[in-house]
Amino acid sequence: IHMMVGEAGREGKRRTVCHAGEKLLLEARGLTRAGVIYDINLTLHEGEVLGLAGLMGAGKTSLARALFGADALTDGELYLRGQRIRLDSPQAAIRAGIALVPEDRRKHGLFTQMSILSNVALPQLDRLTRWGTVSGRDEQVLAEDAVRRFDIKTASVQQIVHYLSGGNQQKVVLAKWLAREPQVVILDEPTCGI
């Protein structure tokens, strides 16, 4: 860690955040995608951070994509706040309140040839559209708020994302999803390439 970030790693006490009685947010039972992931069971409570670890090829990204509806499951059940849900597309996941920050932000998380404004606004179009027209003013406010909240280093919200640093690109990905106020945020290798 010292060689990578310039400081020694700090070992901390392991704390349990979840207490008996907290509300169950997400539950997966027997999630399977033939040839990729097998019989995955997990529970996530409100306010809890759940980490999954494994070697490359162990299925972390495949599980993240399946939980976001990007890859079809062949078996298993998924429950959100006790209600069974079927995530057969990313749109279904977004409607259910699930967001994914993918491992490869340039390939799957951003439109690199578009502006910060466009990237932040795209997942919000349903909220920014009135009478079939996107509110340019609301888009601008949303993007400026994202730049401010996430301290994105840029001259303007019109900046093309391709020209931002990797860390600032990752901030744009986080900002666009957190602006939707999702119930569940899946982060797949969020510090990769930063």
Side-chain angles (χ1 to χ4, degrees), residues 140-178:
Q140 186 79 20
V141 168
L142 181 71
E144 287 174 354
D145 181 56
V147 166
R148 188 173 35 261
R149 283 182 59 209
F150 288 87
D151 194 27
I152 299 169
K153 304 295 184 213
T154 184
S156 140
V157 295
Q158 298 300 331
Q159 174 72 49
I160 301 300
V161 170
H162 173 78
Y163 297 108
L164 296 174
S165 69
N168 283 300
Q169 288 178 2
Q170 190 72 338
K171 289 177 183 181
V172 172
V173 177
L174 283 165
K176 80 177 191 176
W177 288 119
L178 293 181

PDB file of all heavy atoms in Angstrom, residues 140-178:
ATOM      1  N   GLN A 140     -28.766  21.748 -16.524  1.00  0.00           N
ATOM      2  CA  GLN A 140     -27.648  22.595 -16.111  1.00  0.00           C
ATOM      3  C   GLN A 140     -27.508  22.599 -14.590  1.00  0.00           C
ATOM      4  O   GLN A 140     -26.410  22.424 -14.059  1.00  0.00           O
ATOM      5  CB  GLN A 140     -27.858  24.025 -16.630  1.00  0.00           C
ATOM      6  CG  GLN A 140     -26.705  24.960 -16.386  1.00  0.00           C
ATOM      7  CD  GLN A 140     -25.564  24.777 -17.361  1.00  0.00           C
ATOM      8  OE1 GLN A 140     -25.724  24.220 -18.442  1.00  0.00           O
ATOM      9  NE2 GLN A 140     -24.391  25.231 -16.981  1.00  0.00           N
ATOM     10  N   VAL A 141     -28.611  22.791 -13.891  1.00  0.00           N
ATOM     11  CA  VAL A 141     -28.594  22.814 -12.427  1.00  0.00           C
ATOM     12  C   VAL A 141     -28.109  21.468 -11.879  1.00  0.00           C
ATOM     13  O   VAL A 141     -27.284  21.424 -10.963  1.00  0.00           O
ATOM     14  CB  VAL A 141     -29.994  23.173 -11.864  1.00  0.00           C
ATOM     15  CG1 VAL A 141     -30.069  22.921 -10.362  1.00  0.00           C
ATOM     16  CG2 VAL A 141     -30.341  24.620 -12.196  1.00  0.00           C
ATOM     17  N   LEU A 142     -28.624  20.376 -12.431  1.00  0.00           N
ATOM     18  CA  LEU A 142     -28.230  19.037 -12.004  1.00  0.00           C
ATOM     19  C   LEU A 142     -26.728  18.823 -12.192  1.00  0.00           C
ATOM     20  O   LEU A 142     -26.033  18.349 -11.288  1.00  0.00           O
ATOM     21  CB  LEU A 142     -29.016  17.981 -12.792  1.00  0.00           C
ATOM     22  CG  LEU A 142     -28.736  16.528 -12.453  1.00  0.00           C
ATOM     23  CD1 LEU A 142     -29.306  16.171 -11.084  1.00  0.00           C
ATOM     24  CD2 LEU A 142     -29.332  15.624 -13.521  1.00  0.00           C
ATOM     25  N   ALA A 143     -26.209  19.177 -13.367  1.00  0.00           N
ATOM     26  CA  ALA A 143     -24.789  18.971 -13.661  1.00  0.00           C
ATOM     27  C   ALA A 143     -23.906  19.870 -12.793  1.00  0.00           C
ATOM     28  O   ALA A 143     -22.874  19.433 -12.287  1.00  0.00           O
ATOM     29  CB  ALA A 143     -24.523  19.228 -15.141  1.00  0.00           C
ATOM     30  N   GLU A 144     -24.307  21.118 -12.603  1.00  0.00           N
ATOM     31  CA  GLU A 144     -23.511  22.023 -11.762  1.00  0.00           C
ATOM     32  C   GLU A 144     -23.487  21.548 -10.315  1.00  0.00           C
ATOM     33  O   GLU A 144     -22.465  21.637  -9.638  1.00  0.00           O
ATOM     34  CB  GLU A 144     -24.058  23.442 -11.863  1.00  0.00           C
ATOM     35  CG  GLU A 144     -23.731  24.091 -13.195  1.00  0.00           C
ATOM     36  CD  GLU A 144     -24.393  25.451 -13.396  1.00  0.00           C
ATOM     37  OE1 GLU A 144     -25.213  25.879 -12.538  1.00  0.00           O
ATOM     38  OE2 GLU A 144     -24.090  26.091 -14.429  1.00  0.00           O
ATOM     39  N   ASP A 145     -24.612  21.020  -9.843  1.00  0.00           N
ATOM     40  CA  ASP A 145     -24.672  20.476  -8.494  1.00  0.00           C
ATOM     41  C   ASP A 145     -23.743  19.269  -8.369  1.00  0.00           C
ATOM     42  O   ASP A 145     -23.036  19.116  -7.375  1.00  0.00           O
ATOM     43  CB  ASP A 145     -26.106  20.087  -8.137  1.00  0.00           C
ATOM     44  CG  ASP A 145     -26.209  19.544  -6.721  1.00  0.00           C
ATOM     45  OD1 ASP A 145     -25.799  20.263  -5.781  1.00  0.00           O
ATOM     46  OD2 ASP A 145     -26.684  18.398  -6.559  1.00  0.00           O
ATOM     47  N   ALA A 146     -23.719  18.407  -9.385  1.00  0.00           N
ATOM     48  CA  ALA A 146     -22.836  17.226  -9.374  1.00  0.00           C
ATOM     49  C   ALA A 146     -21.375  17.646  -9.333  1.00  0.00           C
ATOM     50  O   ALA A 146     -20.583  17.088  -8.565  1.00  0.00           O
ATOM     51  CB  ALA A 146     -23.108  16.361 -10.596  1.00  0.00           C
ATOM     52  N   VAL A 147     -21.004  18.626 -10.133  1.00  0.00           N
ATOM     53  CA  VAL A 147     -19.618  19.110 -10.162  1.00  0.00           C
ATOM     54  C   VAL A 147     -19.231  19.652  -8.791  1.00  0.00           C
ATOM     55  O   VAL A 147     -18.143  19.376  -8.277  1.00  0.00           O
ATOM     56  CB  VAL A 147     -19.432  20.176 -11.271  1.00  0.00           C
ATOM     57  CG1 VAL A 147     -18.118  20.917 -11.095  1.00  0.00           C
ATOM     58  CG2 VAL A 147     -19.499  19.521 -12.644  1.00  0.00           C
ATOM     59  N   ARG A 148     -20.126  20.389  -8.187  1.00  0.00           N
ATOM     60  CA  ARG A 148     -19.856  20.978  -6.864  1.00  0.00           C
ATOM     61  C   ARG A 148     -19.788  19.890  -5.784  1.00  0.00           C
ATOM     62  O   ARG A 148     -18.834  19.835  -5.016  1.00  0.00           O
ATOM     63  CB  ARG A 148     -20.939  22.000  -6.547  1.00  0.00           C
ATOM     64  CG  ARG A 148     -20.738  22.845  -5.332  1.00  0.00           C
ATOM     65  CD  ARG A 148     -21.763  23.955  -5.154  1.00  0.00           C
ATOM     66  NE  ARG A 148     -23.123  23.650  -5.582  1.00  0.00           N
ATOM     67  CZ  ARG A 148     -23.658  24.024  -6.761  1.00  0.00           C
ATOM     68  NH1 ARG A 148     -22.929  24.717  -7.624  1.00  0.00           N
ATOM     69  NH2 ARG A 148     -24.898  23.711  -7.079  1.00  0.00           N
ATOM     70  N   ARG A 149     -20.794  19.015  -5.743  1.00  0.00           N
ATOM     71  CA  ARG A 149     -20.864  17.988  -4.693  1.00  0.00           C
ATOM     72  C   ARG A 149     -19.696  17.013  -4.755  1.00  0.00           C
ATOM     73  O   ARG A 149     -19.196  16.564  -3.720  1.00  0.00           O
ATOM     74  CB  ARG A 149     -22.164  17.195  -4.808  1.00  0.00           C
ATOM     75  CG  ARG A 149     -23.364  17.931  -4.275  1.00  0.00           C
ATOM     76  CD  ARG A 149     -24.628  17.113  -4.365  1.00  0.00           C
ATOM     77  NE  ARG A 149     -24.513  15.859  -3.625  1.00  0.00           N
ATOM     78  CZ  ARG A 149     -25.169  14.757  -3.962  1.00  0.00           C
ATOM     79  NH1 ARG A 149     -25.960  14.720  -4.998  1.00  0.00           N
ATOM     80  NH2 ARG A 149     -25.027  13.664  -3.241  1.00  0.00           N
ATOM     81  N   PHE A 150     -19.270  16.660  -5.970  1.00  0.00           N
ATOM     82  CA  PHE A 150     -18.216  15.658  -6.114  1.00  0.00           C
ATOM     83  C   PHE A 150     -16.849  16.275  -6.388  1.00  0.00           C
ATOM     84  O   PHE A 150     -15.892  15.559  -6.638  1.00  0.00           O
ATOM     85  CB  PHE A 150     -18.594  14.661  -7.221  1.00  0.00           C
ATOM     86  CG  PHE A 150     -19.697  13.741  -6.784  1.00  0.00           C
ATOM     87  CD1 PHE A 150     -21.018  14.108  -6.938  1.00  0.00           C
ATOM     88  CD2 PHE A 150     -19.409  12.532  -6.183  1.00  0.00           C
ATOM     89  CE1 PHE A 150     -22.042  13.280  -6.508  1.00  0.00           C
ATOM     90  CE2 PHE A 150     -20.423  11.697  -5.753  1.00  0.00           C
ATOM     91  CZ  PHE A 150     -21.745  12.069  -5.917  1.00  0.00           C
ATOM     92  N   ASP A 151     -16.791  17.600  -6.357  1.00  0.00           N
ATOM     93  CA  ASP A 151     -15.528  18.312  -6.568  1.00  0.00           C
ATOM     94  C   ASP A 151     -14.839  17.848  -7.855  1.00  0.00           C
ATOM     95  O   ASP A 151     -13.652  17.532  -7.877  1.00  0.00           O
ATOM     96  CB  ASP A 151     -14.609  18.122  -5.355  1.00  0.00           C
ATOM     97  CG  ASP A 151     -13.448  19.104  -5.354  1.00  0.00           C
ATOM     98  OD1 ASP A 151     -13.588  20.212  -5.932  1.00  0.00           O
ATOM     99  OD2 ASP A 151     -12.380  18.762  -4.795  1.00  0.00           O
ATOM    100  N   ILE A 152     -15.611  17.792  -8.937  1.00  0.00           N
ATOM    101  CA  ILE A 152     -15.078  17.405 -10.244  1.00  0.00           C
ATOM    102  C   ILE A 152     -14.267  18.565 -10.783  1.00  0.00           C
ATOM    103  O   ILE A 152     -14.762  19.683 -10.891  1.00  0.00           O
ATOM    104  CB  ILE A 152     -16.215  17.020 -11.214  1.00  0.00           C
ATOM    105  CG1 ILE A 152     -17.003  15.822 -10.660  1.00  0.00           C
ATOM    106  CG2 ILE A 152     -15.659  16.708 -12.608  1.00  0.00           C
ATOM    107  CD1 ILE A 152     -18.307  15.521 -11.382  1.00  0.00           C
ATOM    108  N   LYS A 153     -13.023  18.306 -11.091  1.00  0.00           N
ATOM    109  CA  LYS A 153     -12.118  19.356 -11.583  1.00  0.00           C
ATOM    110  C   LYS A 153     -12.363  19.578 -13.070  1.00  0.00           C
ATOM    111  O   LYS A 153     -11.955  18.776 -13.909  1.00  0.00           O
ATOM    112  CB  LYS A 153     -10.651  18.967 -11.354  1.00  0.00           C
ATOM    113  CG  LYS A 153     -10.318  18.652  -9.917  1.00  0.00           C
ATOM    114  CD  LYS A 153     -10.471  19.855  -9.024  1.00  0.00           C
ATOM    115  CE  LYS A 153     -10.043  19.520  -7.607  1.00  0.00           C
ATOM    116  NZ  LYS A 153     -10.781  20.225  -6.601  1.00  0.00           N
ATOM    117  N   THR A 154     -13.023  20.686 -13.381  1.00  0.00           N
ATOM    118  CA  THR A 154     -13.378  20.999 -14.760  1.00  0.00           C
ATOM    119  C   THR A 154     -13.617  22.499 -14.894  1.00  0.00           C
ATOM    120  O   THR A 154     -13.953  23.167 -13.907  1.00  0.00           O
ATOM    121  CB  THR A 154     -14.634  20.217 -15.199  1.00  0.00           C
ATOM    122  OG1 THR A 154     -14.900  20.477 -16.563  1.00  0.00           O
ATOM    123  CG2 THR A 154     -15.843  20.581 -14.365  1.00  0.00           C
ATOM    124  N   ALA A 155     -13.460  23.006 -16.097  1.00  0.00           N
ATOM    125  CA  ALA A 155     -13.740  24.418 -16.354  1.00  0.00           C
ATOM    126  C   ALA A 155     -15.238  24.668 -16.482  1.00  0.00           C
ATOM    127  O   ALA A 155     -15.731  25.752 -16.208  1.00  0.00           O
ATOM    128  CB  ALA A 155     -13.020  24.871 -17.619  1.00  0.00           C
ATOM    129  N   SER A 156     -15.980  23.637 -16.906  1.00  0.00           N
ATOM    130  CA  SER A 156     -17.402  23.814 -17.172  1.00  0.00           C
ATOM    131  C   SER A 156     -18.089  22.459 -17.264  1.00  0.00           C
ATOM    132  O   SER A 156     -17.448  21.443 -17.538  1.00  0.00           O
ATOM    133  CB  SER A 156     -17.545  24.585 -18.486  1.00  0.00           C
ATOM    134  OG  SER A 156     -18.568  24.145 -19.288  1.00  0.00           O
ATOM    135  N   VAL A 157     -19.406  22.455 -17.086  1.00  0.00           N
ATOM    136  CA  VAL A 157     -20.165  21.216 -17.235  1.00  0.00           C
ATOM    137  C   VAL A 157     -20.245  20.798 -18.694  1.00  0.00           C
ATOM    138  O   VAL A 157     -20.664  19.676 -18.997  1.00  0.00           O
ATOM    139  CB  VAL A 157     -21.589  21.322 -16.626  1.00  0.00           C
ATOM    140  CG1 VAL A 157     -21.507  21.502 -15.123  1.00  0.00           C
ATOM    141  CG2 VAL A 157     -22.409  22.403 -17.281  1.00  0.00           C
ATOM    142  N   GLN A 158     -19.830  21.664 -19.599  1.00  0.00           N
ATOM    143  CA  GLN A 158     -19.803  21.341 -21.030  1.00  0.00           C
ATOM    144  C   GLN A 158     -18.520  20.602 -21.432  1.00  0.00           C
ATOM    145  O   GLN A 158     -18.373  20.187 -22.582  1.00  0.00           O
ATOM    146  CB  GLN A 158     -19.950  22.621 -21.874  1.00  0.00           C
ATOM    147  CG  GLN A 158     -21.263  23.344 -21.660  1.00  0.00           C
ATOM    148  CD  GLN A 158     -22.471  22.493 -22.015  1.00  0.00           C
ATOM    149  OE1 GLN A 158     -22.407  21.612 -22.872  1.00  0.00           O
ATOM    150  NE2 GLN A 158     -23.580  22.736 -21.343  1.00  0.00           N
ATOM    151  N   GLN A 159     -17.599  20.428 -20.489  1.00  0.00           N
ATOM    152  CA  GLN A 159     -16.335  19.731 -20.751  1.00  0.00           C
ATOM    153  C   GLN A 159     -16.608  18.301 -21.227  1.00  0.00           C
ATOM    154  O   GLN A 159     -17.418  17.591 -20.648  1.00  0.00           O
ATOM    155  CB  GLN A 159     -15.502  19.682 -19.470  1.00  0.00           C
ATOM    156  CG  GLN A 159     -14.233  18.864 -19.560  1.00  0.00           C
ATOM    157  CD  GLN A 159     -13.175  19.536 -20.390  1.00  0.00           C
ATOM    158  OE1 GLN A 159     -12.892  20.698 -20.192  1.00  0.00           O
ATOM    159  NE2 GLN A 159     -12.600  18.818 -21.326  1.00  0.00           N
ATOM    160  N   ILE A 160     -15.943  17.889 -22.302  1.00  0.00           N
ATOM    161  CA  ILE A 160     -16.053  16.516 -22.802  1.00  0.00           C
ATOM    162  C   ILE A 160     -15.360  15.585 -21.802  1.00  0.00           C
ATOM    163  O   ILE A 160     -14.220  15.829 -21.403  1.00  0.00           O
ATOM    164  CB  ILE A 160     -15.425  16.387 -24.218  1.00  0.00           C
ATOM    165  CG1 ILE A 160     -16.121  17.330 -25.204  1.00  0.00           C
ATOM    166  CG2 ILE A 160     -15.461  14.939 -24.698  1.00  0.00           C
ATOM    167  CD1 ILE A 160     -17.605  17.091 -25.386  1.00  0.00           C
ATOM    168  N   VAL A 161     -16.016  14.530 -21.379  1.00  0.00           N
ATOM    169  CA  VAL A 161     -15.544  13.634 -20.335  1.00  0.00           C
ATOM    170  C   VAL A 161     -14.208  12.984 -20.693  1.00  0.00           C
ATOM    171  O   VAL A 161     -13.371  12.758 -19.820  1.00  0.00           O
ATOM    172  CB  VAL A 161     -16.627  12.569 -20.022  1.00  0.00           C
ATOM    173  CG1 VAL A 161     -16.087  11.480 -19.127  1.00  0.00           C
ATOM    174  CG2 VAL A 161     -17.835  13.234 -19.387  1.00  0.00           C
ATOM    175  N   HIS A 162     -13.978  12.714 -21.965  1.00  0.00           N
ATOM    176  CA  HIS A 162     -12.722  12.082 -22.412  1.00  0.00           C
ATOM    177  C   HIS A 162     -11.498  12.843 -21.922  1.00  0.00           C
ATOM    178  O   HIS A 162     -10.460  12.246 -21.647  1.00  0.00           O
ATOM    179  CB  HIS A 162     -12.716  11.997 -23.947  1.00  0.00           C
ATOM    180  CG  HIS A 162     -11.429  11.516 -24.511  1.00  0.00           C
ATOM    181  ND1 HIS A 162     -11.070  10.187 -24.503  1.00  0.00           N
ATOM    182  CD2 HIS A 162     -10.395  12.189 -25.096  1.00  0.00           C
ATOM    183  CE1 HIS A 162      -9.878  10.064 -25.065  1.00  0.00           C
ATOM    184  NE2 HIS A 162      -9.450  11.257 -25.432  1.00  0.00           N
ATOM    185  N   TYR A 163     -11.604  14.148 -21.786  1.00  0.00           N
ATOM    186  CA  TYR A 163     -10.455  14.986 -21.426  1.00  0.00           C
ATOM    187  C   TYR A 163     -10.287  15.159 -19.918  1.00  0.00           C
ATOM    188  O   TYR A 163      -9.368  15.849 -19.486  1.00  0.00           O
ATOM    189  CB  TYR A 163     -10.571  16.349 -22.115  1.00  0.00           C
ATOM    190  CG  TYR A 163     -10.525  16.208 -23.614  1.00  0.00           C
ATOM    191  CD1 TYR A 163     -11.668  16.400 -24.371  1.00  0.00           C
ATOM    192  CD2 TYR A 163      -9.351  15.824 -24.260  1.00  0.00           C
ATOM    193  CE1 TYR A 163     -11.642  16.235 -25.749  1.00  0.00           C
ATOM    194  CE2 TYR A 163      -9.309  15.644 -25.628  1.00  0.00           C
ATOM    195  CZ  TYR A 163     -10.456  15.865 -26.374  1.00  0.00           C
ATOM    196  OH  TYR A 163     -10.432  15.694 -27.737  1.00  0.00           O
ATOM    197  N   LEU A 164     -11.136  14.537 -19.126  1.00  0.00           N
ATOM    198  CA  LEU A 164     -10.979  14.588 -17.671  1.00  0.00           C
ATOM    199  C   LEU A 164      -9.999  13.508 -17.223  1.00  0.00           C
ATOM    200  O   LEU A 164      -9.809  12.502 -17.902  1.00  0.00           O
ATOM    201  CB  LEU A 164     -12.326  14.335 -16.989  1.00  0.00           C
ATOM    202  CG  LEU A 164     -13.439  15.352 -17.219  1.00  0.00           C
ATOM    203  CD1 LEU A 164     -14.733  14.854 -16.582  1.00  0.00           C
ATOM    204  CD2 LEU A 164     -13.059  16.714 -16.679  1.00  0.00           C
ATOM    205  N   SER A 165      -9.405  13.704 -16.053  1.00  0.00           N
ATOM    206  CA  SER A 165      -8.545  12.672 -15.475  1.00  0.00           C
ATOM    207  C   SER A 165      -9.396  11.457 -15.111  1.00  0.00           C
ATOM    208  O   SER A 165     -10.624  11.548 -15.001  1.00  0.00           O
ATOM    209  CB  SER A 165      -7.865  13.211 -14.213  1.00  0.00           C
ATOM    210  OG  SER A 165      -8.824  13.392 -13.183  1.00  0.00           O
ATOM    211  N   GLY A 166      -8.743  10.326 -14.906  1.00  0.00           N
ATOM    212  CA  GLY A 166      -9.467   9.106 -14.539  1.00  0.00           C
ATOM    213  C   GLY A 166     -10.281   9.274 -13.273  1.00  0.00           C
ATOM    214  O   GLY A 166     -11.420   8.807 -13.190  1.00  0.00           O
ATOM    215  N   GLY A 167      -9.725   9.940 -12.280  1.00  0.00           N
ATOM    216  CA  GLY A 167     -10.451  10.161 -11.034  1.00  0.00           C
ATOM    217  C   GLY A 167     -11.681  11.031 -11.237  1.00  0.00           C
ATOM    218  O   GLY A 167     -12.740  10.767 -10.668  1.00  0.00           O
ATOM    219  N   ASN A 168     -11.558  12.057 -12.061  1.00  0.00           N
ATOM    220  CA  ASN A 168     -12.702  12.925 -12.328  1.00  0.00           C
ATOM    221  C   ASN A 168     -13.744  12.213 -13.194  1.00  0.00           C
ATOM    222  O   ASN A 168     -14.944  12.430 -13.027  1.00  0.00           O
ATOM    223  CB  ASN A 168     -12.259  14.238 -12.955  1.00  0.00           C
ATOM    224  CG  ASN A 168     -11.670  15.154 -11.909  1.00  0.00           C
ATOM    225  OD1 ASN A 168     -12.334  15.518 -10.945  1.00  0.00           O
ATOM    226  ND2 ASN A 168     -10.403  15.513 -12.077  1.00  0.00           N
ATOM    227  N   GLN A 169     -13.307  11.348 -14.087  1.00  0.00           N
ATOM    228  CA  GLN A 169     -14.265  10.538 -14.842  1.00  0.00           C
ATOM    229  C   GLN A 169     -15.059   9.651 -13.888  1.00  0.00           C
ATOM    230  O   GLN A 169     -16.283   9.533 -14.014  1.00  0.00           O
ATOM    231  CB  GLN A 169     -13.546   9.682 -15.885  1.00  0.00           C
ATOM    232  CG  GLN A 169     -13.001  10.457 -17.053  1.00  0.00           C
ATOM    233  CD  GLN A 169     -12.262   9.577 -18.044  1.00  0.00           C
ATOM    234  OE1 GLN A 169     -12.175   8.361 -17.893  1.00  0.00           O
ATOM    235  NE2 GLN A 169     -11.713  10.190 -19.077  1.00  0.00           N
ATOM    236  N   GLN A 170     -14.370   9.055 -12.918  1.00  0.00           N
ATOM    237  CA  GLN A 170     -15.055   8.190 -11.962  1.00  0.00           C
ATOM    238  C   GLN A 170     -16.049   8.999 -11.124  1.00  0.00           C
ATOM    239  O   GLN A 170     -17.138   8.517 -10.814  1.00  0.00           O
ATOM    240  CB  GLN A 170     -14.036   7.481 -11.056  1.00  0.00           C
ATOM    241  CG  GLN A 170     -14.624   6.397 -10.194  1.00  0.00           C
ATOM    242  CD  GLN A 170     -15.025   5.154 -10.967  1.00  0.00           C
ATOM    243  OE1 GLN A 170     -15.247   5.185 -12.176  1.00  0.00           O
ATOM    244  NE2 GLN A 170     -15.130   4.035 -10.281  1.00  0.00           N
ATOM    245  N   LYS A 171     -15.700  10.227 -10.797  1.00  0.00           N
ATOM    246  CA  LYS A 171     -16.621  11.094 -10.058  1.00  0.00           C
ATOM    247  C   LYS A 171     -17.883  11.366 -10.880  1.00  0.00           C
ATOM    248  O   LYS A 171     -18.983  11.436 -10.321  1.00  0.00           O
ATOM    249  CB  LYS A 171     -15.946  12.410  -9.690  1.00  0.00           C
ATOM    250  CG  LYS A 171     -14.886  12.286  -8.628  1.00  0.00           C
ATOM    251  CD  LYS A 171     -14.244  13.645  -8.392  1.00  0.00           C
ATOM    252  CE  LYS A 171     -13.114  13.595  -7.399  1.00  0.00           C
ATOM    253  NZ  LYS A 171     -12.542  14.942  -7.177  1.00  0.00           N
ATOM    254  N   VAL A 172     -17.740  11.510 -12.191  1.00  0.00           N
ATOM    255  CA  VAL A 172     -18.901  11.730 -13.056  1.00  0.00           C
ATOM    256  C   VAL A 172     -19.806  10.506 -13.023  1.00  0.00           C
ATOM    257  O   VAL A 172     -21.038  10.626 -12.929  1.00  0.00           O
ATOM    258  CB  VAL A 172     -18.478  12.079 -14.506  1.00  0.00           C
ATOM    259  CG1 VAL A 172     -19.688  12.110 -15.437  1.00  0.00           C
ATOM    260  CG2 VAL A 172     -17.739  13.410 -14.553  1.00  0.00           C
ATOM    261  N   VAL A 173     -19.219   9.305 -13.078  1.00  0.00           N
ATOM    262  CA  VAL A 173     -20.021   8.076 -13.025  1.00  0.00           C
ATOM    263  C   VAL A 173     -20.779   8.009 -11.698  1.00  0.00           C
ATOM    264  O   VAL A 173     -21.989   7.741 -11.674  1.00  0.00           O
ATOM    265  CB  VAL A 173     -19.150   6.810 -13.203  1.00  0.00           C
ATOM    266  CG1 VAL A 173     -19.983   5.552 -13.071  1.00  0.00           C
ATOM    267  CG2 VAL A 173     -18.445   6.823 -14.545  1.00  0.00           C
ATOM    268  N   LEU A 174     -20.097   8.265 -10.605  1.00  0.00           N
ATOM    269  CA  LEU A 174     -20.757   8.250  -9.297  1.00  0.00           C
ATOM    270  C   LEU A 174     -21.845   9.310  -9.220  1.00  0.00           C
ATOM    271  O   LEU A 174     -22.953   9.045  -8.747  1.00  0.00           O
ATOM    272  CB  LEU A 174     -19.730   8.475  -8.187  1.00  0.00           C
ATOM    273  CG  LEU A 174     -18.854   7.288  -7.834  1.00  0.00           C
ATOM    274  CD1 LEU A 174     -17.661   7.723  -6.999  1.00  0.00           C
ATOM    275  CD2 LEU A 174     -19.658   6.233  -7.098  1.00  0.00           C
ATOM    276  N   ALA A 175     -21.543  10.500  -9.688  1.00  0.00           N
ATOM    277  CA  ALA A 175     -22.499  11.621  -9.619  1.00  0.00           C
ATOM    278  C   ALA A 175     -23.771  11.315 -10.390  1.00  0.00           C
ATOM    279  O   ALA A 175     -24.874  11.590  -9.915  1.00  0.00           O
ATOM    280  CB  ALA A 175     -21.845  12.893 -10.149  1.00  0.00           C
ATOM    281  N   LYS A 176     -23.622  10.738 -11.578  1.00  0.00           N
ATOM    282  CA  LYS A 176     -24.822  10.491 -12.394  1.00  0.00           C
ATOM    283  C   LYS A 176     -25.756   9.492 -11.734  1.00  0.00           C
ATOM    284  O   LYS A 176     -26.967   9.619 -11.818  1.00  0.00           O
ATOM    285  CB  LYS A 176     -24.445  10.074 -13.812  1.00  0.00           C
ATOM    286  CG  LYS A 176     -24.058   8.634 -13.991  1.00  0.00           C
ATOM    287  CD  LYS A 176     -23.766   8.328 -15.446  1.00  0.00           C
ATOM    288  CE  LYS A 176     -23.647   6.844 -15.678  1.00  0.00           C
ATOM    289  NZ  LYS A 176     -23.465   6.526 -17.075  1.00  0.00           N
ATOM    290  N   TRP A 177     -25.190   8.493 -11.053  1.00  0.00           N
ATOM    291  CA  TRP A 177     -26.044   7.507 -10.399  1.00  0.00           C
ATOM    292  C   TRP A 177     -26.569   7.994  -9.061  1.00  0.00           C
ATOM    293  O   TRP A 177     -27.727   7.763  -8.717  1.00  0.00           O
ATOM    294  CB  TRP A 177     -25.319   6.176 -10.247  1.00  0.00           C
ATOM    295  CG  TRP A 177     -25.168   5.482 -11.553  1.00  0.00           C
ATOM    296  CD1 TRP A 177     -23.998   5.142 -12.170  1.00  0.00           C
ATOM    297  CD2 TRP A 177     -26.214   5.073 -12.440  1.00  0.00           C
ATOM    298  NE1 TRP A 177     -24.258   4.546 -13.375  1.00  0.00           N
ATOM    299  CE2 TRP A 177     -25.617   4.498 -13.573  1.00  0.00           C
ATOM    300  CE3 TRP A 177     -27.602   5.153 -12.391  1.00  0.00           C
ATOM    301  CZ2 TRP A 177     -26.353   3.989 -14.631  1.00  0.00           C
ATOM    302  CZ3 TRP A 177     -28.349   4.657 -13.446  1.00  0.00           C
ATOM    303  CH2 TRP A 177     -27.714   4.078 -14.548  1.00  0.00           C
ATOM    304  N   LEU A 178     -25.759   8.660  -8.278  1.00  0.00           N
ATOM    305  CA  LEU A 178     -26.218   9.119  -6.971  1.00  0.00           C
ATOM    306  C   LEU A 178     -27.256  10.231  -7.095  1.00  0.00           C
ATOM    307  O   LEU A 178     -28.080  10.404  -6.194  1.00  0.00           O
ATOM    308  CB  LEU A 178     -25.033   9.543  -6.107  1.00  0.00           C
ATOM    309  CG  LEU A 178     -24.109   8.384  -5.714  1.00  0.00           C
ATOM    310  CD1 LEU A 178     -22.970   8.875  -4.836  1.00  0.00           C
ATOM    311  CD2 LEU A 178     -24.865   7.264  -5.027  1.00  0.00           C
TER     312      LEU A 178
END
